Amino acid sequence: MSQPSKDELVQAALEVRSNAYAPYSKFLVGAALVTEYGTVFTGTNVENASYGLTICAERVAACTAAAAGHRKILAVAVATSGGASPCGACRQFLAEFNGSMDIYMVDADRPQQVKEMSLADLLPEQFELED
């Protein structure tokens, strides 16, 4: 089966970003990930008046993939104003599904600007439980 290109994943993150629920911060985030089966899952940040209950776009996409039975993520595109990287919690959360996946950080204000890094570079010394 064919995998979506980096550009297709970035475009999906940019498109879903408009659905973000961010009435407090106004910081819209869209994420699109691809699994080993070539399936794309998307997510947005969803804020809450009780700020601690807010969930990031990357975790929404990963949870949706997991709920569909997918366990290995190959790459994630994250679209924000300014091209921010995933937060620390999202980095560790994503590591559960592949600690070396590619991360594409796209500046939604300048979509041609995409920074690419591996999750291993963004999160060295990842926490893992031993079997």
Side-chain angles (χ1 to χ4, degrees), residues 36-76:
E36 65 183 323
Y37 302 113
T39 307
V40 174
F41 293 92
T42 61
T44 66
N45 56 320
V46 179
E47 294 181 349
N48 190 281
S50 177
Y51 293 141
L53 297 178
T54 293
I55 186 166
C56 299
E58 301 92 323
R59 285 183 278 154
V60 170
C63 287
T64 303
H70 296 250
R71 298 293 184 258
K72 185 168 184 182
I73 298 171
L74 301 180
V76 178

